[in-house]
Each structure stands twice: as C-alpha cells, then as structure tokens.
Amino acid sequence: MSVFSQVEFDNHEQVVFCSDQETGLKAIIAVHNTNCGPAVGGCRFWNYASDEDALIDVLRLSKGMTYKNALAGLNFGGGKAVIIGDPKKLKSEALFKAFGHKLNNMNGTYYSAEDVNITTADIMQAHSVTDYVVGLEGQSGNPAPFTALGTYLGIKAAAKHKFGSDNLEGLTLSVQGLGSVGMYLCERLHNDGAKLIVTDINNDSIDYAVTHYAATAVGLNDIYAVDADIYVPCALGATVNDDTIPQFKVKIIAGCANNQLAKPHHGDALKDKGILYAPDYAINAGGIINIFFEQDEDGYSAEKATAKVHEIYDTLLEIFQRADNENRPTHEIADIMAQEIIAKGGKYK
Ligand SMILES: NC(=O)c1ccc[n+]([C@@H]2O[C@H](COP(=O)([O-])OP(=O)(O)OC[C@H]3O[C@@H](n4cnc5c(N)ncnc54)[C@H](O)[C@@H]3O)[C@@H](O)[C@H]2O)c1
C-alpha cells in the first residue's frame, strides 16, 4: 500500500500507527499541520472494512482539522485519530488508557477529543493517564450542542445568501443522521418553524424526532431525492457524490458531517446545478471553537465560546460572497481562505 503518494497524504507532518495487544487497541494518529499551533482533532471509533480505509479516513479528517481550525481563527493545527474495530465489542477503560499512553508518546504534538462513537466519558478515561485530551467533563464538556449551534447559524447564513432571508420558518430541511449533533439541530430548526424530513439507521432516534419535532421519516436512501429546500448531512462523509447529486432537489447543502464531498469535483457539480454548498469544515467548527476556550487564560467560559461560534455566520457569508465574486465553487474559496491563514501561521498574525 502506498502512503506518501496518496493524494490524501498531502504533506502530513506525522502519521503514527499504534497498537496494544492486551486491550485490542489499534489506532492511527495523523498530524497534518502545526503552523497555527499544536494539532487538535477528535478521535473516531469505527469498524473499517480495511486498514487502508482507516488510513484514508484519518488523513482526510486531519487535513480537514487544519483547515477548520485555521478558518475558525483558532491557534490550533490539524490532527485526528481513528481507533479501528467495533466499538460495541472493544470499548473498555483499559483501551482508552492505552490510547492515552500513546498520546503521551507524542508529547503534545496532538491533542485528542471525542468524535463519532467516542463519548466525553471515554475521553475522561484517557485523561486519567494523559493531559493530551480536550473536551473534558467539568470544562468545555460535550461539543455537540456547540457544533449544532454553529451548523444552525451556517444554515441561516446559507438561507440568507440563497433566498435573501435567514428566516427558516416554512422551509423544509432533510436531515440525515439524528445523533449527538443532528438531534440538537433538529430541535433548533423545529423551534424556528422549519419542516423536517429525517432518516437514521437508529429507529429510536427517528421515533424521537417524529414525536418531538413533528418530523417525517424516510428510508435511508430516500433522503437525497426528497422535496426539500436544504439537505442537512449529519451522519458520515461522502454523501455528496455521483449517485446523489442528480437526485438532489434542494437549493442548499449545509450540515455538520465531515468530508461531505466524496471528491472535490463534486463541489463544482453542485455549483453547476445551482446548489449552494456550505463547506463542511467552515460550518461544523462550533465544537472545536468551544474546546478552544478550555485553553483560555481566565478558564473556560461558555459565553465566550458561544460568541465565537456566532462568527461562523459571517465566515460563511464571506465565503459565499467571495465565491460569487470570483465565480468559483464555495469549497475552493474556503480552502483558499484557510490556506491564506495557515501560510501566515494564524488568522490574527
Ligand atoms: N460531535 C461533534 O461535535 C462534531 C463536530 C464536527 C463534526 N462532526 C461530524 O458530524 C457528524 C455527526 O457527528 P455526531 O457527533 O452527531 O455523531 P453521532 O455518532 O452521534 O451521530 C451520527 C448519527 O448518524 C446516524 N447514521 C449513521 N449512518 C447513517 C446512515 N447511513 N444514514 C443515516 N444515518 C446514519 C447514526 O445512527 C447516528 O444517529 C460526523 O460526520 C462528525 O464527524 C461532529
């Protein structure tokens, strides 16, 4: 398997493969870039079909963190970790402690946090042996409500740009994934008077959204072709692809999932189809912004974090406007804006 020539490798500074026989830990930790500060990004626990799939995923995710942290104006670099295997079978306190010891070996080059299938409680178990984890209980805690807030504001910014108003009342949003972020988001959208069409692999989550947020449930593969104004991907990545783009009837794609475009050219295809795309790492930065405030010299403050999350609205409007001015797709403009910041070592340098 080639590594350095993978397009996803993209000059990663460090990629660490680690295992612990006793606990069954198999993990890959990727540090993409530390120009703006130490690499920070969550850890995902997933039963990958192959080690190669896990590697490609972690490389894509860690590069995404470099761009996300830079564009959000945080003094963090980009990194990510994946733990390979079935979380239902493998999760144990010993495994998270073993993961914590692996983080210690990296001496603060990378700080980990929660992501898909990892909870704050899991992170606290790692924290019992390492300081190189963030998103801690009693400090910034669960990032999901902040990610949901940022995504909600990003959806409003997209509506403002596309429809001339950021009022979501009466609009129909198709939400894929009712997990930690998706469910908080549904609550906000429902409170604003939006109509919801939802799907998830978990029937209990669907029942909850139907009961509490008057959502209409559809099958897993039916979500792409529904009659809606905005598609809100909140599950896994790559759902904007050759298969789904012809099906979309929406005018906007704006959700919290990482790596929504299967390939960069799918962002071009959205532009050609007149669909406004809110670049994933710009709209879903709320959680990492919240975590950033754990480092604040006065101690963590939810008020400061919330105020910073609100900047996502303006960042997205800037991306959309610049994309229009330069007649380029929004994902390219977000990349250019992030690269400009990374090159100078931080937004405020
Ligand atoms: N948690 C955060 O703060 C945060 C921050 C930034 C980005 N994200 C990204 O947002 C996405 C969701 O994160 P989360 O923390 O809510 O994860 P989660 O695991 O809590 O939720 C994911 C949900 O998607 C559902 N799902 C999985 N496969 C599906 C499929 N094929 N079709 C429909 N639903 C499916 C799951 O059942 C679950 O309800 C991920 O891509 C994650 O990387 C999360």
Side-chain angles (χ1 to χ4, degrees):
M1 178 171 77
S2 63
V3 175
F4 293 102
S5 57
Q6 293 267 6
V7 64
E8 288 82 8
F9 188 73
D10 191 58
N11 296 312
H12 263 74
E13 290 178 11
Q14 195 180 7
V15 182
V16 176
F17 291 78
C18 40
S19 68
D20 178 72
Q21 213 175 3
E22 220 165 276
T23 59
L25 174 75
K26 276 201 283 173
I28 311 176
I29 301 170
V31 173
H32 177 246
N33 185 287
T34 56
N35 271 19
C36 297
V40 181
C43 176
R44 175 172 293 195
F45 208 140
W46 196 254
N47 206 1
Y48 290 97
S50 68
D51 294 349
E52 194 168 1
D53 282 3
L55 176 63
I56 288 171
D57 202 34
V58 76
L59 292 174
R60 286 177 55 142
L61 290 166
S62 69
K63 178 181 173 182
M65 288 310 299
T66 303
Y67 282 58
K68 181 191 308 201
N69 291 339
L71 199 60
L74 310 177
N75 296 326
F76 284 164
K80 200 91 181 184
V82 294
I83 299 179
I84 301 166
D86 183 347
K88 289 200 182 94
K89 291 187 189 143
L90 270 182
K91 265 195 180 188
S92 71
E93 186 172 350
L95 179 137
F96 285 107
K97 282 185 175 168
F99 180 62
H101 288 300
K102 303 298 179 192
L103 297 178
N104 284 338
N105 293 342
M106 297 189 68
N107 275 323
T109 313
Y110 166 69
Y111 285 71
S112 200
E114 71 144 37
D115 192 62
V116 177
N117 288 327
I118 302 265
T119 64
T120 313
D122 300 331
I123 289 300
M124 293 310 288
Q125 289 175 346
H127 183 50
S128 66
V129 302
T130 184
D131 285 334
Y132 300 127
V133 282
V134 286
L136 304 175
E137 266 166 25
Q139 293 201 49
S140 74
N142 181 6
F146 291 85
T147 305
L149 171 63
T151 307
Y152 164 75
L153 293 164
I155 289 170
K156 283 174 77 71
K160 173 90 180 153
H161 189 82
K162 191 75 182 171
F163 305 134
S165 161
D166 68 6
N167 187 351
L168 303 179
E169 192 174 359
L171 294 182
T172 301
L173 288 89
S174 48
V175 182
Q176 179 186 50
L178 300 166
S180 311
V181 180
M183 202 64 99
Y184 281 115
L185 185 57
C186 282
E187 185 181 3
R188 286 186 179 275
L189 299 172
H190 174 67
N191 288 345
D192 272 14
K195 294 179 206 142
L196 301 177
I197 301 174
V198 300
T199 194
D200 198 292
I201 52 175
N202 182 336
N203 286 333
D204 290 345
S205 304
I206 290 184
D207 290 347
Y208 191 91
V210 169
T211 308
H212 292 85
Y213 308 133
T216 304
V218 296
L220 289 177
N221 290 322
D222 299 331
I223 195 78
Y224 307 111
V226 295
D227 250 317
D229 301 292
I230 306 176
Y231 167 55
V232 186
C234 294
L236 294 175
T239 64
V240 178
N241 54 46
D242 290 340
D243 228 32
T244 57
I245 291 173
Q247 299 182 50
F248 286 128
K249 299 192 183 88
V250 293
K251 292 280 171 248
I252 292 171
I253 295 181
C256 72
N258 280 310
N259 297 327
Q260 293 169 29
L261 304 177
K263 297 271 181 232
H265 71 79
H266 293 117
D268 301 57
L270 291 181
K271 177 178 180 292
D272 293 345
K273 209 176 163 178
I275 297 175
L276 180 66
Y277 170 61
D280 43 18
Y281 61 80
I283 191 171
N284 71 13
I288 194 72
I289 290 171
N290 183 49
I291 283 172
F292 178 79
F293 281 89
E294 274 184 11
Q295 321 285 316
D296 195 87
E297 54 193 15
D298 301 327
Y300 171 72
S301 147
E303 289 72 29
K304 280 190 188 175
T306 303
K308 184 92 179 151
V309 172
H310 274 79
E311 291 178 12
I312 288 175
Y313 185 94
D314 290 330
T315 302
L316 280 174
L317 285 183
E318 192 182 341
I319 293 169
F320 298 147
Q321 196 53 57
R322 197 164 153 182
D324 281 359
N325 295 347
E326 299 179 26
N327 192 25
R328 295 179 76 165
T330 53
H331 72 288
E332 275 182 21
I333 295 298
D335 282 0
I336 291 165
M337 284 168 59
Q339 283 157 3
E340 287 167 357
I341 294 165
I342 295 159
K344 62 177 184 169
K347 193 168 187 173
Y348 304 108
K349 279 203 176 158

